[in-house]
Amino acid sequence: MKKNILSGAFIKQRSGMDKWNLPVWDMHCHILPGVDDGAKNMTDALKMLELEMKEGINKILLTPHYLAGKTDPDLIKTQYQKLKYEIKIRNYPLELYLGNELFYSTSIIFELQKGRALTLAGTSYVLIEFETEISYQKMRKALNELLMAGYRPIIAHMERFTCLMSNKNRITELIRQGVLMQANTNSFIWHRTSNSLLQLLQHGNIHFIGTDCHRPDWRTPQMQITIKKIQTKLQTEEMIRIFVENPNQLLKNQYIRRKK
């Protein structure tokens, strides 16, 4: 067994495949129980956390959906405290943080300022999603509004948006303006999106990888198979940036530099 420089992570051979044991982040998931289309109850949530641990994940940003006027922010905070209690009594080696995956609406900045919608772990970073077929003009306007209000937007599962994937120059333009990009683990497995995402990673145009996992039997984490695929394309320093440095800088509310 040999030591990897990824924050004390270890790599060992299993059936000819390198496996990372510890530690990696999941900064986008729907594990918080009973608040959105993710885990239905505490049993589901604990099963999901066990899957996350098996995938070598030990720091998790819980990001339940937030839809203005439909989401109950008090319920989210209550369920967060309950889930933290459950992992404490089970002695799970996990760190949990709370945020939202914000569905963009014209009132989202107001919702953030009032504390109903949540930034990521109390930082200025926000995870934001849009309608899949949103125009680039509308997306850019919305992101500029968030930036002007003092937030640092991260586009959730950026690979889903036609206006970005049909014109990669738009991704670069947004990054230069201060927007960050997050991609889902399962999109690195699908042939339809895998090659494009790997190219974006190589050019430094993806800053975070999250599982966007939902339930034990639907949209599971798939972190290890994604890491294995990415390892064939990225240098070690870039792996560190994606899986260690960027999430840690987010947690500290530090500026995440774009690749030169």
Side-chain angles (χ1 to χ4, degrees):
M1 185 164 66
K2 60 180 182 178
K3 190 173 182 180
N4 187 303
I5 62 175
L6 281 170
S7 290
F10 287 90
I11 296 176
K12 61 182 177 180
Q13 296 292 328
R14 285 189 182 178
S15 303
M17 182 180 77
D18 285 343
K19 182 179 176 66
W20 291 8
N21 286 339
L22 289 172
V24 293
W25 273 84
D26 186 1
M27 56 78 63
H28 180 181
C29 66
H30 298 272
I31 294 175
L32 200 66
V35 296
D36 63 5
D37 61 342
K40 294 179 180 178
N41 49 47
M42 189 61 70
T43 300
D44 268 3
L46 292 171
K47 287 179 180 178
M48 290 301 298
L49 291 178
E50 289 166 5
L51 287 175
E52 294 269 269
M53 288 188 288
K54 288 178 182 178
E55 292 283 339
I57 295 162
N58 73 340
K59 295 181 182 180
I60 301 172
L61 251 172
L62 304 163
T63 54
H65 291 291
Y66 186 91
L67 287 81
K70 296 183 179 180
T71 299
D72 182 348
D74 292 330
L75 177 61
I76 285 175
K77 293 170 185 175
T78 298
Q79 293 298 86
Y80 176 55
Q81 294 302 323
K82 288 181 179 178
L83 186 58
K84 286 205 301 182
Y85 174 76
E86 293 293 334
I87 71 164
K88 181 179 180 181
I89 63 175
R90 287 168 172 77
N91 200 29
Y92 285 173
L94 293 170
E95 295 178 25
L96 300 185
Y97 303 92
L98 185 60
N100 278 134
E101 180 182 11
L102 308 170
F103 186 80
Y104 179 77
S105 67
T106 54
S107 65
I108 200 63
I109 292 174
F110 177 78
E111 299 287 315
L112 285 164
Q113 291 171 341
K114 291 297 182 182
R116 292 195 287 265
L118 300 175
T119 65
L120 297 178
T123 69
S124 60
Y125 287 96
V126 292
L127 186 65
I128 188 85
E129 69 169 331
F130 300 92
E131 294 179 355
T132 306
E133 296 302 323
I134 187 173
S135 71
Y136 179 63
Q137 290 72 25
K138 288 183 179 179
M139 177 185 280
R140 184 176 59 182
K141 181 177 182 292
L143 294 166
N144 283 337
E145 289 172 355
L146 284 163
L147 288 164
M148 292 297 291
Y151 298 103
R152 298 171 179 173
I154 302 168
I155 299 180
H157 38 67
M158 50 82 65
E159 66 274 19
R160 293 186 184 178
F161 302 108
T162 304
C163 69
L164 297 181
M165 299 305 287
S166 64
N167 186 340
K168 306 299 195 304
N169 290 331
R170 292 170 174 171
I171 297 171
T172 304
E173 179 183 25
L174 290 176
I175 291 171
R176 286 175 177 165
Q177 292 175 359
V179 177
L180 300 174
M181 303 288 166
Q182 179 260 317
N184 286 356
T185 51
N186 59 11
S187 297
F188 287 90
I189 300 165
W190 295 340
H191 294 298
R192 182 169 56 87
T193 52
S194 178
N195 289 337
S196 293
L197 288 180
L198 288 171
Q199 289 174 9
L200 288 168
L201 265 179
Q202 288 174 304
H203 288 92
N205 289 335
I206 294 175
H207 307 92
F208 301 98
I209 294 172
T211 68
D212 197 9
C213 60
H214 277 62
R215 297 198 289 272
D217 58 351
W218 182 57
R219 291 169 68 175
T220 55
Q222 302 186 83
M223 182 65 81
Q224 287 296 328
I225 191 170
T226 300
I227 287 173
K228 181 191 174 189
K229 195 158 192 175
I230 292 171
Q231 277 182 308
T232 66
K233 300 293 183 181
L234 288 190
Q235 298 294 321
T236 302
E237 63 181 16
E238 286 302 300
M239 297 289 289
I240 294 170
R241 182 179 67 85
I242 295 292
F243 290 102
V244 178
E245 290 181 353
N246 286 356
N248 284 337
Q249 286 179 298
L250 181 155
L251 187 62
K252 296 174 184 177
N253 204 29
Q254 295 176 344
Y255 178 71
I256 294 171
R257 299 181 185 278
R258 63 185 180 90
K259 185 179 177 181
K260 295 181 179 179

